[in-house]
Amino acid sequence: MENRKKVAFYTLGCKLNFSETSTIARNFQDEGFDRVDFEEVADMYVINTCSVTENADKQFKQIVKKAMKLNDKAFVAAVGCYAQLKPEELAAVDGVDLVLGATEKFKITDYINDLSKNDMGEVHSCEIEEADFYVGSYSIGDRTRAFLKVQDGCDYKCTYCTIPLARGISRSDALENVLKNAYEISQQGIKEIVLTGVNIGDYGKGEFGNKKHEHTFLDLVKALDEVEGIERLRISSIEPNLLKNETIDFVSKSRTFVPHFHIPLQSGSNEILGKMKRRYQREVYVDRVENIRKVMPHACIGVDVIVGFPGETDEHFLETYNFLNELDISYLHVFTYSERDNTEAATMENVVPMNVRSKRSKMLRGLSVKKRRAFYESQIGTNRTVLFEGENKEGYIHGFTENYVKVKTPWNPELVNTLHEINLTRIDEDGSVRLKFQNEKFQIPTV
């Protein structure tokens, strides 16, 4: 079997992309390819692109260069969001042979013949209106957790975002298919599943290929909670207006859903939220945080925020800073606004200078460090369950508690991909938390 072709993958961007890369990779394996690491020599390199940040565009060229260095005769394909938005631009990059848009990426093996290089990248991309069918996927990258895609596309028209242009309308996987995928994952010894999608709170929409749907996000959560063999379920990111209080209540009592929410805010100023065309005001956000805290005081709450949006004055920014400072949240993901072609915000006036954007970004990142530290301190002395990961990092094994506290303990291969009852003891110099096992067998002398 010496002549089996080798294929390698590189994924930029979000968890959803990772789950889709895994599915595409399994298609290649079904076609008789062997999957190898991107660092290895392969006959074909597939790059799953992202359009959310400025950086992702630049990274693409570097990754192609890396592939060409490994094998200058290799066939290089670009798929994903950036490939949908700017196919010609990617096709013009030296070394790129094939560019596939939103609907074509899952049929990539139909587009490759003899893997001989093209003089110019060949483009197959649809009009985004045609991206109206759903392809389920999940990723099994490491043994500890898997990303399970339940929804794709978005019907929201936020003024800064290209995702509806890159992924099309909101559509969902059928409930029975999600449950089947979840069961398949659980059969592989994976302990945690992270639900992912573009706008997962919109789950159900497009279940039948139209706007009719039978199930809601709450139905999905309730059904997944009953899948045998899954130890933990985590909701990745959910819009505040779609995170209903019934869902919060259910998670607080559920068997497998963990007390961790990641809720995009984007701005603490109602005026800026209006310009962004977000579908809520800050008061809704406060309500959701308060409801989570009421039923799960120990929950971890993460927040996405964008700084430097057009028209964001110092007053608006301070409004956001003070709002977040006073809110009982656990950490922030801070994004510096970057202009994207074909979005409404790109043509707005009162552009915030780059140096001001980065100064604001730095301030919020500092606030995030403070928030995470305060959250970790509030957890010291509590009993939690930790799921250990598989890597030996400088003599330590790391893991996350159900409420997303990062812990570490001296390396022990027996702990990999296992759940343990522990007590959180103190914060280490590197910011992670040290622990004491409830089970005597794993007890180590305290240093």
Side-chain angles (χ1 to χ4, degrees):
M1 292 298 286
E2 273 307 290
N3 59 354
R4 278 170 74 96
K5 296 270 187 245
K6 293 189 172 78
V7 61
F9 297 85
Y10 198 104
T11 306
L12 290 160
C14 63
K15 293 175 177 134
L16 185 55
N17 271 4
F18 278 92
S19 75
E20 292 182 343
T21 299
S22 278
T23 297
I24 293 166
R26 286 194 288 275
N27 294 344
F28 271 97
Q29 284 159 320
D30 293 346
E31 295 287 333
F33 281 76
D34 286 330
R35 182 177 182 174
V36 297
D37 276 352
F38 202 84
E39 277 63 38
E40 293 179 43
V41 174
D43 301 287
M44 179 169 182
Y45 293 92
V46 179
I47 303 163
N48 194 352
T49 63
C50 165
S51 68
V52 172
T53 61
E54 203 61 58
N55 259 357
D57 318 355
K58 295 177 189 134
Q59 277 176 300
F60 177 75
K61 286 182 179 154
Q62 292 162 349
I63 296 157
V64 173
K65 214 178 252 176
K66 191 170 157 187
M68 291 286 86
K69 214 177 248 177
L70 289 162
N71 178 7
D72 61 1
K73 293 183 176 58
F75 189 89
V76 176
V79 301
C81 291
Y82 200 53
Q84 173 65 34
L85 290 174
K86 304 221 168 156
E88 308 299 338
E89 207 171 286
L90 293 192
V93 172
D94 212 20
V96 173
D97 300 290
L98 179 67
V99 179
L100 298 181
T103 63
E104 292 79 14
K105 64 187 168 194
F106 293 107
K107 301 179 283 196
I108 182 169
T109 53
D110 299 349
Y111 289 97
I112 49 180
N113 303 320
D114 55 358
L115 295 189
S116 53
K117 291 199 72 63
N118 294 325
D119 296 337
M120 177 71 188
E122 196 180 299
V123 173
H124 297 274
S125 77
C126 64
E127 288 302 314
I128 197 60
E129 289 71 33
E130 292 164 31
D132 57 1
F133 59 88
Y134 185 86
V135 177
S137 53
Y138 59 85
S139 81
I140 299 180
D142 64 58
R143 280 168 51 202
T144 319
R145 67 178 57 82
F147 299 123
L148 171 59
K149 173 181 164 186
V150 299
Q151 182 274 343
D152 199 351
C154 189
D155 292 342
Y156 287 9
K157 298 284 186 284
C158 300
T159 53
Y160 52 82
C161 185
T162 55
I163 286 174
L165 301 172
R167 283 185 170 270
I169 58 169
S170 179
R171 53 209 188 273
S172 308
D173 204 350
L175 187 59
E176 72 235 39
N177 198 44
V178 175
L179 298 177
K180 180 178 84 64
N181 285 342
Y183 181 72
E184 276 174 26
I185 293 168
S186 77
Q187 293 304 290
Q188 305 196 34
I190 288 165
K191 302 280 195 290
E192 180 175 295
I193 292 177
V194 183
L195 300 186
T196 174
V198 172
N199 187 357
I200 63 174
D202 213 20
Y203 175 81
K205 203 185 265 185
E207 220 180 327
F208 303 107
N210 53 27
K211 289 298 166 208
K212 283 215 288 284
H213 60 91
E214 195 180 322
H215 300 105
T216 62
F217 183 67
L218 181 59
D219 295 335
L220 171 75
V221 165
K222 286 179 171 172
L224 279 167
D225 199 44
E226 290 176 15
V227 175
E228 285 302 312
I230 300 170
E231 305 271 354
R232 276 184 177 184
L233 283 155
R234 206 178 283 278
I235 297 167
S236 60
S237 179
I238 183 163
E239 294 282 304
N241 51 310
L242 295 174
L243 176 58
K244 302 292 186 228
N245 289 331
E246 298 85 21
T247 305
I248 294 170
D249 284 339
F250 181 79
V251 167
S252 74
K253 303 182 189 86
S254 89
R255 184 180 69 88
T256 50
F257 277 89
V258 295
H260 175 206
F261 295 88
H262 193 92
I263 316 167
L265 168 69
Q266 312 310 17
S267 175
S269 154
N270 280 342
E271 194 182 328
I272 297 296
L273 286 173
K275 284 187 171 176
M276 290 175 163
K277 290 196 177 160
R278 301 291 286 158
R279 298 200 175 189
Y280 54 86
Q281 300 255 278
R282 57 188 252 166
E283 290 72 16
V284 169
Y285 203 91
V286 173
D287 176 69
R288 296 304 181 266
V289 171
E290 284 176 353
N291 276 307
I292 292 168
R293 286 280 168 246
K294 208 180 296 167
V295 291
M296 290 171 273
H298 60 296
C300 179
I301 303 174
V303 183
D304 284 342
V305 61
I306 294 171
V307 295
F309 188 79
E312 183 187 64
T313 61
D314 285 345
E315 289 71 25
H316 291 132
F317 173 69
L318 281 174
E319 215 182 324
T320 295
Y321 186 93
N322 294 330
F323 179 71
L324 288 165
N325 193 26
E326 285 157 31
L327 209 54
D328 192 357
I329 50 149
S330 319
Y331 65 89
L332 305 171
H333 279 173
V334 184
F335 297 91
T336 307
Y337 170 74
S338 64
E339 284 79 0
R340 318 309 286 149
D341 289 349
N342 303 317
T343 59
E344 219 181 301
T347 58
M348 286 181 181
E349 291 172 352
N350 303 320
V351 172
V352 178
M354 273 306 188
N355 61 332
V356 176
R357 293 184 212 184
S358 62
K359 187 176 132 202
R360 289 175 185 172
S361 175
K362 211 170 170 177
M363 281 176 73
L364 282 183
R365 290 203 172 101
L367 179 63
S368 180
V369 170
K370 195 177 104 179
K371 287 281 184 186
R372 194 185 296 269
R373 177 88 192 188
F375 174 61
Y376 280 11
E377 279 172 1
S378 75
Q379 297 303 300
I380 299 300
T382 62
N383 293 332
R384 297 280 167 241
T385 306
V386 64
L387 173 57
F388 285 107
E389 310 204 330
E391 218 181 319
N392 182 344
K393 289 186 183 160
E394 297 170 0
Y396 287 94
I397 186 168
H398 291 79
F400 284 93
T401 61
E402 68 275 32
N403 61 342
Y404 215 54
V405 173
K406 189 177 186 181
V407 301
K408 70 187 252 196
T409 197
W411 171 256
N412 175 350
E414 273 184 66
L415 295 174
V416 171
N417 195 35
T418 57
L419 286 145
H420 290 272
E421 302 294 319
I422 52 138
N423 179 270
L424 301 173
T425 57
R426 63 183 169 86
I427 301 178
D428 211 34
E429 303 81 78
D430 66 358
S432 55
V433 177
R434 301 300 285 264
L435 57 95
K436 204 165 86 190
F437 285 94
Q438 309 281 28
N439 180 341
E440 289 301 315
K441 179 187 171 196
F442 291 103
Q443 236 19 306
I444 44 156
T446 44
V447 183

